[in-house]
Amino acid sequence: MSKGYHEYFGNIHMHTTHSDGVGDFEELVQAAAAVGLNFVFVTDHNVLVRESEEGYRHGVLTLVGEEIHDPDLQPPGNHLLCLGVEEDLTHLGKNPQQLIDAVNEQGGLPFLAHPIERFTELIPTHYPWHNWEVTDFHGIELWNYMSNFRGMVNSKAQALLMGFFPHFFTRGPLPEMLAKWDELTAQRPVVALGGVDVHAETYNIGPIRRCFLPYAHCARALNTHILAAEPFAGPNGAANPGQSDPGVAHDRAQVLGALAAGRCWLGYDLVEWTTGFRFQAEHDRGAGVMGDTIGQPSPGQPTHFSVTAPADGTIRLLRGGKTVAESQGRGLEHTDAEPGVYRVEVWKQRWGRPRGWIFSNPIYVRE
Ligand SMILES: [Zn+2]
Ligand SMILES: [Zn+2]
């Protein structure tokens, strides 16, 4: 089942000097190329720089969307990742439903960015999603890499430690975010992705200056891995982004197609590369991979689930957010008669505690 697909991976949700990021596209893509990312998806605040910046750089497919919010909203929040949009939609930032509808109309994919955020007394500012009554958003950012640190900063000493050793603090998506996602997918398919939200800002803590989560770190941290329907064409001769390149349009469609279908997982690649992970299911009436809705088997017939991990870990198969099977190692096989929404988490012991390593999109065993 997974055989017909082609795996690629990249950083999603990145900021550059076009908004409040510190690096330009060149710096960002050099960091991505150094660790072998296939693509990056840049989403600057309230600006779409697609025409000038999209294309291949150093062999990395550079895609451009935008992250739109209402600048007048107090408290701030309602950040929407708009992937695959053709025209800037910043003017709709005041109305989240109109904005979501407009992204869909352009054939783009609206994802709620860092929809649930923790905060502390030291850093009380936070930017959650407020308007949960909206409909038709395509997905959510299940794990925002940068945002998760926000809720851990209780002292300046801790902030300093975090600046130098972020990996000691990171555990995985917020449990309340996972619970919210399970609640959403009980109603309809909602695709999850992982965003790094890289800004690479430098902070002063007393006499010490430290760039927090630079581009090079983020490229090796949290990636979204996709299963594309067709192999990438690669750069087809255009020397610079912005020049016409037929390969870019094809490969852009592959990334967006996989994100549209939910054929993707979040890989915390800093723990160990998650390349090669697979999750599939099969019954007498259908079969599919993550993201697919495969219907229900005939009465009395079971569904067989199969998980392959690229290295040892604790593999959990969950239905409706509850673990139904667990194994240690590189694989899990499970047969289940219950319909429902099945997804996989793989955890791995690293730096002294369990780290969330892989979070798959669900297979929907229902009509
Ligand atoms: Zn944001
Ligand atoms: Zn952002």
mmCIF file with all atom_site columns, all heavy atoms in Angstrom, residues 13 15 43 45 67 114 197 199, ligand 2:
data_model
loop_
_atom_site.group_PDB
_atom_site.id
_atom_site.type_symbol
_atom_site.label_atom_id
_atom_site.label_alt_id
_atom_site.label_comp_id
_atom_site.label_asym_id
_atom_site.label_entity_id
_atom_site.label_seq_id
_atom_site.pdbx_PDB_ins_code
_atom_site.Cartn_x
_atom_site.Cartn_y
_atom_site.Cartn_z
_atom_site.occupancy
_atom_site.B_iso_or_equiv
_atom_site.pdbx_formal_charge
_atom_site.auth_seq_id
_atom_site.auth_comp_id
_atom_site.auth_asym_id
_atom_site.auth_atom_id
_atom_site.pdbx_PDB_model_num
ATOM   1  N  N   . HIS A 1 13  ? 6.434  26.253 8.375  1.00 0.00 ? 13  HIS A N   1
ATOM   2  C  CA  . HIS A 1 13  ? 6.191  27.397 9.258  1.00 0.00 ? 13  HIS A CA  1
ATOM   3  C  C   . HIS A 1 13  ? 7.524  28.060 9.641  1.00 0.00 ? 13  HIS A C   1
ATOM   4  O  O   . HIS A 1 13  ? 8.097  27.778 10.690 1.00 0.00 ? 13  HIS A O   1
ATOM   5  C  CB  . HIS A 1 13  ? 5.418  26.960 10.518 1.00 0.00 ? 13  HIS A CB  1
ATOM   6  C  CG  . HIS A 1 13  ? 4.911  28.125 11.315 1.00 0.00 ? 13  HIS A CG  1
ATOM   7  N  ND1 . HIS A 1 13  ? 3.947  27.980 12.284 1.00 0.00 ? 13  HIS A ND1 1
ATOM   8  C  CD2 . HIS A 1 13  ? 5.228  29.456 11.300 1.00 0.00 ? 13  HIS A CD2 1
ATOM   9  C  CE1 . HIS A 1 13  ? 3.695  29.155 12.838 1.00 0.00 ? 13  HIS A CE1 1
ATOM   10 N  NE2 . HIS A 1 13  ? 4.466  30.066 12.249 1.00 0.00 ? 13  HIS A NE2 1
ATOM   11 N  N   . HIS A 1 15  ? 9.930  31.847 9.403  1.00 0.00 ? 15  HIS A N   1
ATOM   12 C  CA  . HIS A 1 15  ? 9.903  33.305 9.229  1.00 0.00 ? 15  HIS A CA  1
ATOM   13 C  C   . HIS A 1 15  ? 11.255 33.809 8.756  1.00 0.00 ? 15  HIS A C   1
ATOM   14 O  O   . HIS A 1 15  ? 12.294 33.278 9.141  1.00 0.00 ? 15  HIS A O   1
ATOM   15 C  CB  . HIS A 1 15  ? 9.492  33.984 10.532 1.00 0.00 ? 15  HIS A CB  1
ATOM   16 C  CG  . HIS A 1 15  ? 8.094  33.625 10.951 1.00 0.00 ? 15  HIS A CG  1
ATOM   17 N  ND1 . HIS A 1 15  ? 6.983  34.196 10.362 1.00 0.00 ? 15  HIS A ND1 1
ATOM   18 C  CD2 . HIS A 1 15  ? 7.625  32.704 11.842 1.00 0.00 ? 15  HIS A CD2 1
ATOM   19 C  CE1 . HIS A 1 15  ? 5.894  33.659 10.901 1.00 0.00 ? 15  HIS A CE1 1
ATOM   20 N  NE2 . HIS A 1 15  ? 6.243  32.745 11.786 1.00 0.00 ? 15  HIS A NE2 1
ATOM   21 N  N   . THR A 1 43  ? 6.374  30.826 5.829  1.00 0.00 ? 43  THR A N   1
ATOM   22 C  CA  . THR A 1 43  ? 5.088  31.504 6.061  1.00 0.00 ? 43  THR A CA  1
ATOM   23 C  C   . THR A 1 43  ? 5.323  32.766 6.867  1.00 0.00 ? 43  THR A C   1
ATOM   24 O  O   . THR A 1 43  ? 5.178  32.759 8.089  1.00 0.00 ? 43  THR A O   1
ATOM   25 C  CB  . THR A 1 43  ? 4.120  30.585 6.838  1.00 0.00 ? 43  THR A CB  1
ATOM   26 O  OG1 . THR A 1 43  ? 4.793  30.122 8.027  1.00 0.00 ? 43  THR A OG1 1
ATOM   27 C  CG2 . THR A 1 43  ? 3.699  29.378 6.023  1.00 0.00 ? 43  THR A CG2 1
ATOM   28 N  N   . HIS A 1 45  ? 4.640  36.599 8.352  1.00 0.00 ? 45  HIS A N   1
ATOM   29 C  CA  . HIS A 1 45  ? 3.421  37.205 8.899  1.00 0.00 ? 45  HIS A CA  1
ATOM   30 C  C   . HIS A 1 45  ? 2.820  38.224 7.936  1.00 0.00 ? 45  HIS A C   1
ATOM   31 O  O   . HIS A 1 45  ? 3.469  39.205 7.572  1.00 0.00 ? 45  HIS A O   1
ATOM   32 C  CB  . HIS A 1 45  ? 3.731  37.939 10.216 1.00 0.00 ? 45  HIS A CB  1
ATOM   33 C  CG  . HIS A 1 45  ? 4.166  37.048 11.329 1.00 0.00 ? 45  HIS A CG  1
ATOM   34 N  ND1 . HIS A 1 45  ? 3.299  36.242 12.034 1.00 0.00 ? 45  HIS A ND1 1
ATOM   35 C  CD2 . HIS A 1 45  ? 5.383  36.832 11.875 1.00 0.00 ? 45  HIS A CD2 1
ATOM   36 C  CE1 . HIS A 1 45  ? 3.966  35.583 12.965 1.00 0.00 ? 45  HIS A CE1 1
ATOM   37 N  NE2 . HIS A 1 45  ? 5.235  35.925 12.886 1.00 0.00 ? 45  HIS A NE2 1
ATOM   38 N  N   . GLU A 1 67  ? 1.386  33.433 7.089  1.00 0.00 ? 67  GLU A N   1
ATOM   39 C  CA  . GLU A 1 67  ? 0.713  33.261 8.377  1.00 0.00 ? 67  GLU A CA  1
ATOM   40 C  C   . GLU A 1 67  ? -0.034 34.549 8.668  1.00 0.00 ? 67  GLU A C   1
ATOM   41 O  O   . GLU A 1 67  ? 0.583  35.593 8.878  1.00 0.00 ? 67  GLU A O   1
ATOM   42 C  CB  . GLU A 1 67  ? 1.730  32.975 9.492  1.00 0.00 ? 67  GLU A CB  1
ATOM   43 C  CG  . GLU A 1 67  ? 1.059  32.748 10.845 1.00 0.00 ? 67  GLU A CG  1
ATOM   44 C  CD  . GLU A 1 67  ? 2.049  32.470 11.980 1.00 0.00 ? 67  GLU A CD  1
ATOM   45 O  OE1 . GLU A 1 67  ? 3.238  32.831 11.837 1.00 0.00 ? 67  GLU A OE1 1
ATOM   46 O  OE2 . GLU A 1 67  ? 1.629  31.914 13.001 1.00 0.00 ? 67  GLU A OE2 1
ATOM   47 N  N   . HIS A 1 114 ? -0.350 27.045 16.074 1.00 0.00 ? 114 HIS A N   1
ATOM   48 C  CA  . HIS A 1 114 ? -0.255 26.989 17.548 1.00 0.00 ? 114 HIS A CA  1
ATOM   49 C  C   . HIS A 1 114 ? -1.599 27.291 18.218 1.00 0.00 ? 114 HIS A C   1
ATOM   50 O  O   . HIS A 1 114 ? -1.721 28.237 18.998 1.00 0.00 ? 114 HIS A O   1
ATOM   51 C  CB  . HIS A 1 114 ? 0.850  27.930 18.079 1.00 0.00 ? 114 HIS A CB  1
ATOM   52 C  CG  . HIS A 1 114 ? 0.879  29.300 17.439 1.00 0.00 ? 114 HIS A CG  1
ATOM   53 N  ND1 . HIS A 1 114 ? 0.065  30.316 17.845 1.00 0.00 ? 114 HIS A ND1 1
ATOM   54 C  CD2 . HIS A 1 114 ? 1.613  29.792 16.415 1.00 0.00 ? 114 HIS A CD2 1
ATOM   55 C  CE1 . HIS A 1 114 ? 0.296  31.394 17.100 1.00 0.00 ? 114 HIS A CE1 1
ATOM   56 N  NE2 . HIS A 1 114 ? 1.239  31.101 16.222 1.00 0.00 ? 114 HIS A NE2 1
ATOM   57 N  N   . ASP A 1 197 ? 8.170  27.103 13.323 1.00 0.00 ? 197 ASP A N   1
ATOM   58 C  CA  . ASP A 1 197 ? 7.970  28.515 13.665 1.00 0.00 ? 197 ASP A CA  1
ATOM   59 C  C   . ASP A 1 197 ? 9.313  29.203 13.950 1.00 0.00 ? 197 ASP A C   1
ATOM   60 O  O   . ASP A 1 197 ? 9.445  29.938 14.927 1.00 0.00 ? 197 ASP A O   1
ATOM   61 C  CB  . ASP A 1 197 ? 7.024  28.637 14.879 1.00 0.00 ? 197 ASP A CB  1
ATOM   62 C  CG  . ASP A 1 197 ? 6.231  29.937 14.858 1.00 0.00 ? 197 ASP A CG  1
ATOM   63 O  OD1 . ASP A 1 197 ? 6.495  30.787 13.981 1.00 0.00 ? 197 ASP A OD1 1
ATOM   64 O  OD2 . ASP A 1 197 ? 5.353  30.102 15.728 1.00 0.00 ? 197 ASP A OD2 1
ATOM   65 N  N   . HIS A 1 199 ? 12.307 31.681 14.003 1.00 0.00 ? 199 HIS A N   1
ATOM   66 C  CA  . HIS A 1 199 ? 12.567 33.119 13.866 1.00 0.00 ? 199 HIS A CA  1
ATOM   67 C  C   . HIS A 1 199 ? 14.075 33.407 13.994 1.00 0.00 ? 199 HIS A C   1
ATOM   68 O  O   . HIS A 1 199 ? 14.570 34.386 13.483 1.00 0.00 ? 199 HIS A O   1
ATOM   69 C  CB  . HIS A 1 199 ? 11.831 33.924 14.937 1.00 0.00 ? 199 HIS A CB  1
ATOM   70 C  CG  . HIS A 1 199 ? 10.342 33.951 14.787 1.00 0.00 ? 199 HIS A CG  1
ATOM   71 N  ND1 . HIS A 1 199 ? 9.537  32.881 15.097 1.00 0.00 ? 199 HIS A ND1 1
ATOM   72 C  CD2 . HIS A 1 199 ? 9.510  34.923 14.336 1.00 0.00 ? 199 HIS A CD2 1
ATOM   73 C  CE1 . HIS A 1 199 ? 8.271  33.206 14.860 1.00 0.00 ? 199 HIS A CE1 1
ATOM   74 N  NE2 . HIS A 1 199 ? 8.227  34.436 14.404 1.00 0.00 ? 199 HIS A NE2 1
HETATM 75 ZN ZN  . ZN  B 2 .   ? 4.850  31.919 13.063 1.00 0.00 ? 2   ZN  B ZN  1
#
